[in-house]
Amino acid sequence: MFMKSLIFSLSFLLIFFPPKHIFSQLLPISPPIIYSDTQGEWNLLHASIGISAMHMQLLHNNKVIIFDRTDFGPSNLSLPGGRCRYDPVDTVLQNDCTAHSILYDIGTNQYRPLTIQTDTWCSSGAVLPNGTLVQTGGFNDGDHVVRTFSPCIDDSCDWTEFPNYLSGRRWYATNQILPDGRVIIVGGRRQFSYEFFPRNPQASSSSSNSPSFDLRFLLDTRDYDENNLYPFLHLLPDGNLFIFANTRSIVFDYKQNRVIKEFPQIDGGDPRNYPSSGSSVLLPLDENISGAGAGIVEAEVMVCGGAPRWSYGQAVNKVFQRALSTCGRLVVVGHANPSWVMEDMPLPRVMGDMLILPTGDVIIINGAESGTSGWELGRDPATRPIIYRPSSEIVGQRYSIMAPSPRPRLYHSSAILLTDGRVLVGGSNPHVYYNFTDVMYPTDLSLESFSPPYLSAKYAAVRPKIVAVNETLGYGEKLTVSFTVSEYLSWREVSVRIILPSFTTHSFAMNQRMVVIKTMGVYREASGSYNVLGVGPSTAEIAPPGYYLLFVVHSGTPSSGVWVKIS
Ligand SMILES: *[C@@H]1O[C@H](CO)[C@@H](O)[C@H](O)[C@H]1NC(C)=O
Ligand SMILES: *[C@@H]1O[C@H](CO)[C@@H](O)[C@H](O)[C@H]1NC(C)=O
Ligand SMILES: *[C@@H]1O[C@H](CO)[C@@H](O)[C@H](O)[C@H]1NC(C)=O
Ligand SMILES: *[C@@H]1O[C@H](CO)[C@@H](O)[C@H](O)[C@H]1NC(C)=O
Ligand SMILES: *[C@@H]1O[C@H](CO)[C@@H](O)[C@H](O)[C@H]1NC(C)=O
């Protein structure tokens, strides 16, 4: 019996955590066997939503705002009420009566068109503490525009545009929500500077008289292929910004416009930002470990994939380099002289999206195995997501490979986490226009969801269900989360986590962060439900104010998320 179970466990380990050399030998030849409950499940939500999902953001009313660009030509969705946009400088279609943005309702699986008047191509966004989405920049007539969208309970809300709001041309810039509720907008093509929303109130009285501040690091990291676009930004628990561009990274004090520290370059010397498009996450900030609470929370950044140096230029000349298959982890707060710790992914990937799942694991989804970002420059779609367990002790056991999507998701695809723990996947428009035929990878207007293995019905007995939680929470305030579960194990199996949903575009999930809440215990109510007692995040640097999704994870199985407003 013992031998049998030992053999079973060993073969289990080999199937799910094969040593790296087995991956590299077997995978390119034969695709993995698909077990729907261990490799996740794909579902087609819509064959066409009319537009290609280039940018996505989940809002706190469980609706997802999706938009692409306005100068592709007509989309496959008309604007209602005879609305049109007239743009005399649009090179494709001056009078456009189609929509380039939609609002998707998760609960009903319905969507409705929204109206954008100026070009949002390759732009950025962040959600304000009050739940309003702020979108910044774009291209052409849209590159200085800020647009907001405030969620509403009926179908009345739409975009509001603020022309000439930005001082710089923000095309391929990155945003981050700040502890004071402002948004910092960093970079953009040939913009070696940053600015804020709302605009810096001191701007007019400052010596430069400009609401924008120089950032030399962006100039220094620009190379021939411009591999410093969409810099990876993460707000650190000490209030500074981590900025990664090309191969280099810094800790930046945006208040003093001062570089505090520069880290070693990522090993290998290959670029990780657009158009070499790797991705990055701030790994979960853990306030439940001792030491946290005293204000010291360690922070670690992870960067995965990308393309070898000069890949973009080579792809333009039809030579498609194999993407990078390495990830690097760097302790950015809590270590005086950190160095990158490199790991191999089981598959190479460029243009992958990295999302933090409710369990604290990281999914790497979408993208290609060769080429780079840019029109027609991606090859060998990476259809199999991988899930990475940052907390797993054994390096070779951190990755598992998921079931392949039936659809390539190349340039201009995106992915976000949904309230119920699924991942919403859409987009892929590697062409200048909406080309549906006669091209290698036709424009994709479909919307899919990927259900990670934790959603499998086989975990139903241990899956917690949140029945009550504090709707609003202040810093360091006590919280109680009540949940029910059929088979309760022990409180050591229970964790409470909050996630700030991302604005995802171009393989980077802006603003994404997870905080593991400090918990003190679980007690059982007479009603049979369980109450977890915890303390809200300590500071706005750890968790900037706003709407978070709160999850209870029991025995590795997450509940559905519940919205909590932190202020
Ligand atoms: C465009 O929309 C129509 C329905 O409105 C649908 O039949 C068609 O397949 C869509 N085209 C694409 C390329 O998705
Ligand atoms: C949130 O704040 C912004 C900026 O001050 C404002 O424009 C917007 O109307 C507010 N939204 C809500 C829902 O109050
Ligand atoms: C893509 O669509 C545009 C606009 O409809 C058209 O001009 C162009 O020839 C198409 N490209 C290909 C490769 O079909
Ligand atoms: C959270 O909810 C619990 C239970 O209802 C309550 O005891 C506690 O005071 C609440 N905390 C805050 C900060 O309102
Ligand atoms: C949270 O911290 C407590 C106290 O240190 C510990 O007993 C518990 O196991 C921790 N929970 C998790 C999920 O790490």
Side-chain angles (χ1 to χ4, degrees), residues 139-264:
F139 182 63
N140 212 342
D141 63 346
D143 60 9
H144 284 72
V145 181
V146 164
R147 306 162 189 84
T148 60
F149 183 90
S150 295
C152 56
I153 45 170
D154 54 18
D155 281 348
S156 63
C157 40
D158 208 330
W159 288 101
T160 306
E161 304 202 20
F162 301 91
N164 296 313
Y165 192 98
L166 299 168
S167 72
R169 184 180 182 231
R170 301 298 168 190
W171 187 37
Y172 300 98
T174 305
N175 291 7
Q176 170 68 54
I177 186 80
L178 297 173
D180 61 8
R182 285 184 302 162
V183 177
I184 188 168
I185 306 140
V186 177
R189 190 157 187 231
R190 296 176 194 158
Q191 302 294 310
F192 313 112
S193 64
Y194 61 96
E195 61 184 293
F196 298 91
F197 177 93
R199 265 193 211 120
N200 180 18
Q202 280 100 51
S204 52
S205 59
S206 79
S207 53
S208 70
N209 235 9
S210 165
S212 151
F213 302 85
D214 289 342
L215 181 53
R216 200 189 153 88
F217 174 72
L218 292 177
L219 178 63
D220 294 345
T221 50
R222 183 182 164 206
D223 63 13
Y224 186 74
D225 286 342
E226 298 195 71
N227 283 303
N228 66 348
L229 302 180
Y230 280 122
F232 303 145
L233 252 55
H234 300 295
L235 173 68
L236 300 178
D238 62 11
N240 292 311
L241 269 187
F242 171 86
I243 309 179
F244 185 106
N246 203 322
T247 57
R248 290 171 54 185
S249 54
I250 54 172
V251 172
F252 185 65
D253 176 350
Y254 61 86
K255 292 178 191 156
Q256 312 284 333
N257 191 6
R258 201 162 58 95
V259 175
I260 292 185
K261 181 174 190 167
E262 173 149 8
F263 296 108

Side-chain angles (χ1 to χ4, degrees), residues 7-243:
I7 289 166
F8 175 79
S9 323
L10 282 177
S11 54
F12 176 84
L13 280 176
L14 278 172
I15 291 173
F16 300 112
F17 313 108
K20 225 175 58 198
H21 65 275
I22 296 190
F23 272 134
S24 49
Q25 280 168 14
L26 290 185
L27 284 172
I29 306 159
S30 55
I33 307 157
I34 295 156
Y35 302 102
S36 73
D37 55 356
T38 57
Q39 294 203 310
E41 199 179 289
W42 288 91
N43 283 294
L44 182 65
L45 302 170
H46 285 280
S48 172
I49 52 169
I51 66 165
S52 183
M54 191 188 297
H55 313 79
M56 298 209 275
Q57 170 78 54
L58 171 64
L59 302 173
H60 73 274
N61 59 357
N62 291 329
K63 291 182 185 176
V64 177
I65 195 146
I66 304 179
F67 57 97
D68 56 22
R69 58 184 277 202
T70 55
D71 57 353
F72 278 141
S75 76
N76 200 26
L77 181 67
S78 295
L79 278 171
R83 250 180 284 155
C84 298
R85 73 183 270 280
Y86 178 69
D87 177 4
V89 295
D90 193 315
T91 49
V92 185
L93 186 66
Q94 284 80 44
N95 197 33
D96 184 355
C97 305
T98 64
H100 298 281
S101 175
I102 65 160
L103 190 66
Y104 170 71
D105 184 324
I106 303 171
T108 61
N109 195 33
Q110 307 270 303
Y111 59 91
R112 68 177 172 94
L114 300 175
T115 321
I116 300 178
Q117 294 293 348
T118 54
D119 196 4
T120 46
W121 184 25
C122 301
S123 59
S124 41
V127 175
L128 296 176
N130 70 6
T132 290
L133 171 65
V134 172
Q135 181 280 351
T136 57
F139 182 63
N140 212 342
D141 63 346
D143 60 9
H144 284 72
V145 181
V146 164
R147 306 162 189 84
T148 60
F149 183 90
S150 295
C152 56
I153 45 170
D154 54 18
D155 281 348
S156 63
C157 40
D158 208 330
W159 288 101
T160 306
E161 304 202 20
F162 301 91
N164 296 313
Y165 192 98
L166 299 168
S167 72
R169 184 180 182 231
R170 301 298 168 190
W171 187 37
Y172 300 98
T174 305
N175 291 7
Q176 170 68 54
I177 186 80
L178 297 173
D180 61 8
R182 285 184 302 162
V183 177
I184 188 168
I185 306 140
V186 177
R189 190 157 187 231
R190 296 176 194 158
Q191 302 294 310
F192 313 112
S193 64
Y194 61 96
E195 61 184 293
F196 298 91
F197 177 93
R199 265 193 211 120
N200 180 18
Q202 280 100 51
S204 52
S205 59
S206 79
S207 53
S208 70
N209 235 9
S210 165
S212 151
F213 302 85
D214 289 342
L215 181 53
R216 200 189 153 88
F217 174 72
L218 292 177
L219 178 63
D220 294 345
T221 50
R222 183 182 164 206
D223 63 13
Y224 186 74
D225 286 342
E226 298 195 71
N227 283 303
N228 66 348
L229 302 180
Y230 280 122
F232 303 145
L233 252 55
H234 300 295
L235 173 68
L236 300 178
D238 62 11
N240 292 311
L241 269 187
F242 171 86
I243 309 179

Side-chain angles (χ1 to χ4, degrees), residues 469-474 477-481:
V469 66
N470 305 71
E471 273 174 34
T472 59
L473 198 62
E477 281 187 351
K478 288 199 173 118
L479 105 145
T480 305
V481 190

